[in-house]
Amino acid sequence: MDIRIDDLSGAEIQKLLTEHLEDMHTASPAECVHALDLTELKKPNILFWTVWENTQLLGCGALKTIDNQHGEIKSMRTTSTARNKGVASTLLSHILDAAGHKGFKKISLETGPQDFFAPARKLYKKHGFNECGPFSDYKLDPYSVFMTKTL
């Protein structure tokens, strides 16, 4: 697997992120969807990676800087053909390493409580994340599960 910083200009990643946003809107009411669109993901406080095997896109994920000690994982997604092959785990480890190199002391994320998000919650728990309250600008809502990990 080749993990690389991505500028979000490729058709493959744009398609995957469109699929991601559509799934988020199917799983949650619009006001409870916290997934970022392409414009938001291109902001300077976000590092965005894609995972490739040769020319095939396998997944993506991002690290958003909240402040100089706190980061947030955004837009973790694996393609349907690459699921259950360790892509998300490999990318999450990469993002956690990058967060440590940036000097972050804590990394957090928001996901959903629905069955659709169960694999994501299991992945994050496996990597040492624990449930917490809302962080940054988030508010408590029934469609969000907040998780954090001390680095």
Side-chain angles (χ1 to χ4, degrees):
M1 281 185 249
D2 177 28
I3 300 173
R4 57 182 94 141
I5 291 178
D6 198 295
D7 67 4
L8 299 152
S9 63
E12 300 98 331
I13 189 56
Q14 290 179 12
K15 180 180 178 210
L16 182 60
L17 288 170
T18 297
E19 176 186 296
H20 180 62
L21 283 171
E22 288 171 355
D23 281 351
M24 298 306 99
H25 282 277
T26 298
S28 303
E31 67 273 11
C32 298
V33 172
H34 302 289
L36 302 178
D37 63 18
L38 280 172
T39 301
E40 292 291 317
L41 288 169
K42 289 180 179 181
K43 289 192 172 178
N45 66 329
I46 296 180
L47 279 172
F48 188 88
W49 291 273
T50 47
V51 183
W52 299 83
E53 188 170 71
N54 300 316
T55 60
Q56 182 181 10
L57 177 64
L58 303 177
C60 64
L63 176 62
K64 178 180 178 181
T65 298
I66 295 173
D67 62 41
N68 65 350
Q69 294 193 8
H70 191 186
E72 179 184 4
I73 293 176
K74 299 296 292 182
S75 301
M76 284 284 294
R77 181 72 176 206
T78 302
T79 63
S80 57
T81 57
R83 297 228 167 100
N84 299 312
K85 296 183 178 176
V87 174
S89 214
T90 299
L91 180 57
L92 181 56
S93 293
H94 182 86
I95 292 172
L96 292 172
D97 286 347
H101 282 72
K102 287 179 73 68
F104 292 162
K105 304 293 182 213
K106 180 167 66 168
I107 189 147
S108 303
L109 61 93
E110 181 274 340
T111 189
Q114 303 92 321
D115 288 345
F116 177 82
F117 298 101
R121 292 190 310 271
K122 182 179 176 184
L123 170 74
Y124 297 129
K125 284 180 184 176
K126 176 180 145 188
H127 284 267
F129 285 81
N130 295 300
E131 288 191 26
C132 64
F135 59 92
S136 189
D137 297 329
Y138 289 104
K139 306 284 185 252
L140 195 59
D141 78 65
Y143 292 93
S144 289
V145 172
F146 303 100
M147 301 180 84
T148 194
K149 174 184 174 107
T150 302
L151 299 176

